[in-house]
Amino acid sequence: MMLTTLFIPEGLVAAQTGDTARITVNYVYESNNAMVAQPYSATVPTNQTFQVTIALPEILNYSITAESINALPEGVALDSEENLLSINLSTVTEDVSVVLYYAAGQADYTVNHWVQILDSDEYELEKSVELTGDIDAYTEAVADNKEGFTSHVEQSIIAPDDTTEVNIYYDRISYTVVFDANGGIGASDPIYAEYGTVIEESYIMVPTRIGYVFQGWSPAIEYTVTEDVTYVAQWE
């Protein structure tokens, strides 16, 4: 994979008061502009020649390139292969400030989606997805919006060798199912069950009420648990 980043000069700025000028090279991360290392800085007499070759700080899995040579101040050259910055000014007349941006390479990582097995503390793998991100940055795995489940993600630092794995766990939500005899007796006890639990038809007892005929439940019973619900006995 080819690693690229943007090299942007601050440009030539107004000369300082007096007979000196300042040469500054700043090193920052492309992702957040945080400082990579202490800047190079030199105070030099004006109207004189200044030459220096700077060995740039090196960071594993990061690269520096010049997107456009025309973007460099006159007399400044970048050797991206050797990680060197050359400054060759025939006559120093004003301050020179350059910013070098360090960009991380990229690597693949795997996101595993694990779904809790019904009536168990174990999980089964539903799917694995390949994503790409910046090396040494955190993964950005996102859980699916899965009905009847809560989720939690264990983010990781992205390794350069494509071996990073992120696990997303989906836990079943538990719901309460109530059978309201509505003035009668003999209804089944409430059920506290996980999403996807199937209620055995034999568990649901028909209540009785003196002087009334049982007409069923409202709403109509769903035998698979998907939400909190109260079934109310109907009488005639």
Side-chain angles (χ1 to χ4, degrees):
M1 182 177 297
M2 182 176 180
L3 307 181
T4 60
T5 186
L6 180 63
F7 177 100
I8 300 178
E10 287 289 300
L12 302 179
V13 297
Q16 297 176 332
T17 302
D19 299 323
T20 61
R22 182 173 295 277
I23 312 297
T24 306
V25 180
N26 291 287
Y27 316 106
V28 299
Y29 289 105
E30 182 185 51
S31 59
N32 58 11
N33 286 325
M35 183 182 295
V36 171
Q38 290 297 320
Y40 169 86
S41 181
T43 300
V44 299
T46 56
N47 300 314
Q48 294 190 22
T49 299
F50 178 77
Q51 294 180 336
V52 67
T53 298
I54 304 169
L56 305 176
E58 296 187 28
I59 303 177
L60 184 64
N61 302 318
Y62 282 74
S63 66
I64 314 165
T65 62
E67 184 175 81
S68 172
I69 297 301
N70 294 329
L72 299 175
E74 184 177 356
V76 180
L78 173 67
D79 184 341
S80 56
E81 292 186 2
E82 299 295 332
N83 268 9
L84 298 175
L85 186 73
S86 298
I87 302 177
N88 186 357
L89 305 177
S90 58
T91 303
V92 178
T93 59
E94 53 193 351
D95 293 349
V96 176
S97 181
V98 175
V99 179
L100 298 182
Y101 289 95
Y102 284 64
Q106 291 196 317
D108 295 332
Y109 61 94
T110 303
V111 180
N112 300 313
H113 294 253
W114 297 90
V115 178
Q116 184 184 11
I117 299 172
L118 187 62
D119 297 324
S120 172
D121 292 330
E122 302 296 323
Y123 297 84
E124 60 183 356
L125 182 63
E126 181 182 64
K127 64 179 179 179
S128 294
V129 179
E130 296 294 326
L131 298 177
T132 302
D134 290 341
I135 295 170
D136 294 333
Y138 276 100
T139 55
E140 297 182 351
V142 178
D144 294 336
N145 185 14
K146 190 178 291 292
E147 179 183 356
F149 292 85
T150 59
S151 61
H152 62 280
V153 184
E154 300 176 355
Q155 305 287 4
S156 300
I157 298 293
I158 300 174
D161 57 1
D162 299 334
T163 61
T164 303
E165 290 194 3
V166 179
N167 293 308
I168 301 178
Y169 293 95
Y170 298 88
D171 295 305
R172 293 178 184 270
I173 299 173
S174 292
Y175 295 106
T176 302
V177 180
V178 176
F179 300 94
D180 182 356
N182 190 23
I185 58 174
S188 302
D189 292 332
I191 297 173
Y192 187 67
E194 294 176 345
Y195 176 85
T197 297
V198 177
I199 303 172
E200 296 291 338
E201 189 172 354
S202 60
Y203 176 83
I204 304 173
M205 300 173 59
V206 176
T208 60
R209 183 179 180 184
I210 296 175
Y212 289 83
V213 176
F214 178 67
Q215 298 294 308
W217 300 96
S218 179
I221 288 181
E222 296 287 343
Y223 292 97
T224 300
V225 176
T226 59
E227 61 182 345
D228 292 322
V229 62
T230 297
Y231 295 111
V232 180
Q234 303 299 299
W235 305 100
E236 181 178 324

